[in-house]
Amino acid sequence: MMKTKLAVLLATALVASCVDAQNTVEANIKKSVEPRLGGAKIESIKETPYAGLYELRVAGDILYTDKKGEYLIIGHVYDAKTTRDLTRERIDDINKIKFSDLPLESAIKQVKGDGKRVIAVFEDPNCGYCKRLRQTTLKNIDNVTIYTFMYNILSDDSFVKSKNIWCASDRAKAWDDWMLNGKAPATAAATCETPNDKILALGQKMKITGTPAIFFADGTRIPGAVDQKTLEAKLATVKQ
């Protein structure tokens, strides 16, 4: 019995020692690296299984450093045998959302074909890449329901255009008229309320730094104006 108690005590002490050592490493890394990040904060520090690197989560992105925080590595780590982008997989994982938590009532809904596949797109009405996405990929794709969140990050005018579109009698038509054909919506009544501020706060919380940003039913995302082939390939991997 005495030997058993001693073994438990030694094991407990060892675990505590390891935890203290890890905490010390994390504290040293944070103290060394964080001042170099231009005001950004390190959200978490995790030891990786490759090359003695430590993963730093910063503003929805991933950086790497050594045990002492003396070197900062900005870039992606690939598995040389499989060519898997390990960094991209981690970024996708940590930035996943719960699709059902999106306030879909604050989005413009468009159903194409059977509408069985579902995506949510964050777009700024003054975003050229968003217009390109609308005029090509989203115009041609079928059998999908698109929820558009007007995410106004480019200018004050973006808020104005979004309000005018949101307050139109047919929001989906007003959005397509503007994004596809450059036809501006009528000026909204001053009393018309919009979810503009709510969507801006949501996008910031989700760390959306650019538009367009496409979200899928499994919570993953693709940034940028992807072509139809890329979007179809992604949708084929998502369980709806």
Side-chain angles (χ1 to χ4, degrees), residues 99 104 115-120 143-147 214-218 235 238 240:
F99 196 92
L104 300 181
K116 289 183 178 179
R117 302 180 297 178
V118 180
I119 61 174
N143 297 326
V144 63
T145 297
I146 304 170
Y147 290 96
I214 307 171
F215 289 82
F216 301 88
D218 63 357
L235 283 167
V238 177
Q240 300 292 327

Side-chain angles (χ1 to χ4, degrees), residues 121-135:
V121 190
F122 283 70
E123 301 176 70
D124 185 299
N126 285 319
C127 165
Y129 289 106
C130 299
K131 292 177 181 179
R132 180 190 301 177
L133 179 70
R134 283 281 158 179
Q135 293 165 3

Side-chain angles (χ1 to χ4, degrees), residues 19-221:
V19 171
D20 288 342
Q22 182 65 23
N23 289 341
T24 300
V25 169
E26 293 182 3
N28 289 338
I29 289 175
K30 192 169 185 178
K31 181 179 179 181
S32 176
V33 175
E34 203 163 62
R36 311 179 201 175
L37 300 179
K41 298 296 182 181
I42 297 175
E43 298 164 8
S44 70
I45 300 171
K46 178 183 178 182
E47 186 176 6
T48 73
Y50 33 84
L53 294 176
Y54 281 76
E55 172 195 292
L56 311 180
R57 287 177 56 179
V58 181
D61 205 350
I62 290 178
L63 310 177
Y64 299 98
T65 189
D66 59 289
K67 187 175 183 179
K68 295 182 179 180
E70 294 179 342
Y71 301 95
L72 187 61
I73 302 170
I74 302 173
H76 285 216
V77 175
Y78 289 82
D79 185 315
K81 292 182 180 179
T82 64
T83 70
R84 284 170 53 206
D85 186 339
L86 302 178
T87 303
R88 170 49 56 191
E89 289 179 8
R90 278 291 293 151
I91 291 173
D92 289 345
D93 184 55
I94 65 177
N95 286 328
K96 271 189 174 182
I97 66 163
K98 189 173 181 181
F99 196 92
S100 59
D101 285 346
L102 289 174
L104 300 181
E105 72 282 356
S106 297
I108 298 172
K109 181 179 180 180
Q110 295 170 298
V111 180
K112 305 188 70 175
D114 62 27
K116 289 183 178 179
R117 302 180 297 178
V118 180
I119 61 174
V121 190
F122 283 70
E123 301 176 70
D124 185 299
N126 285 319
C127 165
Y129 289 106
C130 299
K131 292 177 181 179
R132 180 190 301 177
L133 179 70
R134 283 281 158 179
Q135 293 165 3
T136 55
T137 303
L138 297 186
K139 180 180 178 181
N140 297 323
I141 199 168
D142 201 8
N143 297 326
V144 63
T145 297
I146 304 170
Y147 290 96
T148 302
F149 291 91
M150 293 183 285
Y151 184 48
N152 307 300
I153 58 174
L154 294 181
S155 68
D156 291 339
D157 180 66
S158 298
F159 282 88
V160 174
K161 284 190 172 71
S162 289
K163 178 175 181 176
N164 293 341
I165 291 168
W166 183 259
C167 297
S169 57
D170 187 335
R171 294 166 182 163
K173 183 178 184 303
W175 178 252
D176 278 349
D177 281 347
W178 170 247
M179 298 298 280
L180 300 180
N181 305 313
K183 180 182 177 182
T187 301
T191 54
C192 180
E193 296 184 357
T194 75
N196 282 351
D197 291 337
K198 176 182 177 181
I199 299 308
L200 180 63
L202 174 66
Q204 291 171 341
K205 182 179 179 181
M206 294 165 59
K207 296 182 173 63
I208 302 174
T209 57
T211 53
I214 307 171
F215 289 82
F216 301 88
D218 63 357
T220 58
R221 73 181 77 185

Side-chain angles (χ1 to χ4, degrees), residues 225-239:
V226 297
D227 59 27
Q228 187 173 350
K229 182 179 179 180
T230 300
L231 184 57
E232 288 283 8
K234 172 62 179 178
L235 283 167
T237 69
V238 177
K239 185 177 180 180

